[in-house]
């Protein structure tokens, strides 16, 4: 039996865009390589009908995480479920939680974990992965001989084929991650903001051009108006003007939204490394020579304290 697991994410029961692509990719992989079943795991209840739009899925397992404010989590129950389902190949799109779970599974099942995957192909008895390296500046093709692996897909992976669905029903199951008395929660820092940055379709990023943390109101208002998450450059989080989970770039969160609006950010190479997967980039900067303009689809040369309120007013009037 050769089964695969696909870990998906989403919000309010809706499967995220990158997880939709991953389901289609994994479904194609399954049928091309004559593998048996696809099991899907996620952290939210998901409607079976929605899953069936993207892939032929045997079962969806809702992984329930105990309240982190009171407990620490352990992944033992998940491992037992995976072993019982005889899963040997795992697909997920990179996120902090999934990286933690994947390294646990890789360690327990002695599986190779291939990171930043853009493409997967079979090459005879081997599996070939195209990976993004050097913060997205180059790609590397690597091969593994094993047919058991964990593929951690970069958010910007692309697919060039259509859904591979079936009418068969998807069963639903649940597992709750266990509580281990040997673990204890030392600190809990809940993420702020209503839209998680790595999943956001629109991101408004702000840099040192804002001069002071008290000036972030306009950034938050704009983000709220257009349903965006807020991000910042590294110096801004180093100065504690904004929380560290908003820092994007080489040393921060990597994002690949449909639209990234960068305000008062110079466009240093280390910042670009985290945002160059964005489909469209709009740059607002008062220095026409700012390096970011070279990487922008649209640019506005102007003062953020002038441009942003006008942009917001215009959006509100429509
Ligand atoms: C090893 C290493 C790793 C790093 N990792 C990261 C990383 O992950 N992410 C990251 O962001 N940086 C990273 N950096 C830092 C990076 O090199 C830059 O220093 C940083 O991105 C600059 O941040 P900034 O653009 O906000 O600030 P600045 O470079 O100070 O630029 C501010 C910009 O705002 C503009 N501006 C000023 N006032 C206004 C105004 N009123 N209206 C409009 N525009 C205005 C200016 O013209 C300027 O372009 C790293 C550096 C190193 C050495």
């Amino acid at each position: 039996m050769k089964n695969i697991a696909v870990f998906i994410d989403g919000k309010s029961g809706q499967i995220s865009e990158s997880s939709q692509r991953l389901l289609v990719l994994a479904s194609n992989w399954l049928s091309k390589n004559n593998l048996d079943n696809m099991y899907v795991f996620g952290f939210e209840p998901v409607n079976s009908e929605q899953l069936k739009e993207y892939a032929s899925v045997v079962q969806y397992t809702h992984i329930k995480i105990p309240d982190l404010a009171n407990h620490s989590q352990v992944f033992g129950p998940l491992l037992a479920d995976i072993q019982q389902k005889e899963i040997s190949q795992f697909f997920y799109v990179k996120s902090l939680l999934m990286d933690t779970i994947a390294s646990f599974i890789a360690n327990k099942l002695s599986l190779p974990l291939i990171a930043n995957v853009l493409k997967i192909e079979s090459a005879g008895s081997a599996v070939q992965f195209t990976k993004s390296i050097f913060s997205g500046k180059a790609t590397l093709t690597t091969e593994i001989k094993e047919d058991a692996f964990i593929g951690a897909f970069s958010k910007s992976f692309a697919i060039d084929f259509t859904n591979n669905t079936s009418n068969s029903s998807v069963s639903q199951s649940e597992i709750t991650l266990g509580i281990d008395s040997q673990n204890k929660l030392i600190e809990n820092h809940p993420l702020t903001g209503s839209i998680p940055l790595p999943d956001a379709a629109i991101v408004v990023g702000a840099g040192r051009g804002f001069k002071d943390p008290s000036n972030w109101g306009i950034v938050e208002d704009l983000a709220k108006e257009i349903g965006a998450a807020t991000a910042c450059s590294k110096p801004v989080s180093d100065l504690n003007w904004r929380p560290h989970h908003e820092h994007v770039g080489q040393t921060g969160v990597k994002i690949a939204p449909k639209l990234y609006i960068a305000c008062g950010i110079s466009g240093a190479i280390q910042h670009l490394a985290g945002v160059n997967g964005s489909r469209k980039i709009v740059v607002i900067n008062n220095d026409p020579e700012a390096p970011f303009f070279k990487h922008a689809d649209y640019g506005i040369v102007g003062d953020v304290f002038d441009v942003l309120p006008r942009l917001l007013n215009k959006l509100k009037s429509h």
Side-chain angles (χ1 to χ4, degrees), residues 11-269:
K11 214 168 172 237
S12 314
Q14 293 302 310
I15 302 171
S16 73
E17 195 267 336
S18 54
S19 293
Q20 293 171 12
R21 279 185 285 130
L22 190 67
L23 283 167
V24 177
L25 177 142
S27 175
N28 233 273
W29 173 258
L30 183 100
S31 56
K32 264 194 192 157
N33 294 283
N34 297 320
L35 302 169
D36 294 302
N37 298 310
M38 184 196 293
Y39 290 95
V40 176
F41 294 80
F43 304 95
E44 289 246 344
V46 159
N47 183 317
S48 305
E49 292 306 311
Q50 208 198 338
L51 269 178
K52 278 163 55 183
E53 287 175 30
Y54 307 103
S56 299
V57 175
V58 168
Q59 187 180 65
Y60 177 73
T61 302
H62 175 196
I63 305 171
K64 296 176 106 177
I65 301 179
D67 181 2
L68 272 181
N70 301 318
H71 307 296
S72 51
Q73 66 200 54
V74 290
F75 305 122
L78 175 61
L79 185 68
D81 191 63
I82 284 165
Q83 285 175 311
Q84 190 250 322
K85 286 176 175 153
E86 299 181 48
I87 292 165
S88 53
Q89 301 183 353
F90 299 80
F91 295 71
Y92 74 93
V93 177
K94 278 182 75 57
S95 71
L96 276 179
L97 177 59
M98 272 315 303
D99 283 345
T100 313
I101 293 180
S103 47
F104 172 81
I105 297 172
N107 175 269
K108 293 291 175 195
L109 302 183
S110 301
L111 294 177
L113 195 164
I114 298 91
N116 298 322
V117 178
L118 295 171
K119 199 167 166 190
I120 176 171
E121 286 163 299
S122 53
S125 60
V127 182
Q128 203 172 70
F129 294 91
T130 303
K131 291 162 44 97
S132 152
I133 54 168
F134 299 131
S135 303
K137 284 187 211 59
T139 56
L140 170 81
T141 302
T142 182
E143 242 178 51
I144 58 163
K145 298 283 175 228
E146 299 90 336
D147 62 1
F149 58 81
I150 303 179
F153 282 72
S154 153
K155 268 213 177 340
S156 53
F157 77 93
I159 49 170
D160 52 9
F161 32 74
T162 49
N163 299 8
N164 181 5
T165 57
S166 88
N167 289 327
S168 57
S169 64
V170 183
S171 72
Q172 297 264 352
S173 81
E174 258 182 26
I175 48 177
T176 302
L177 298 187
I179 309 301
D180 184 339
S181 57
Q182 290 174 337
N183 290 309
K184 74 172 182 211
L185 185 71
I186 297 167
E187 279 181 73
N188 183 23
H189 297 279
L191 300 188
T192 51
S194 51
I195 303 172
L197 183 54
D199 296 330
I202 309 175
V203 175
V204 179
R208 210 151 40 178
F210 280 81
K211 316 235 171 8
D212 189 90
S214 62
N215 292 328
W216 248 260
I218 184 70
V219 179
E220 286 173 344
D221 289 349
L222 175 64
K224 198 166 166 213
E225 183 65 26
I226 58 177
T230 47
C232 68
S233 63
K234 181 173 185 294
V236 163
S237 67
D238 287 347
L239 288 162
N240 278 326
W241 290 359
R242 297 296 291 176
H244 278 280
H245 63 75
E246 281 197 3
H247 152 204
V248 291
Q250 181 184 321
T251 46
V253 179
K254 313 271 183 299
I255 57 169
K258 289 184 181 152
L259 174 64
Y260 179 46
I261 306 175
C263 315
I265 301 178
S266 58
I269 195 155

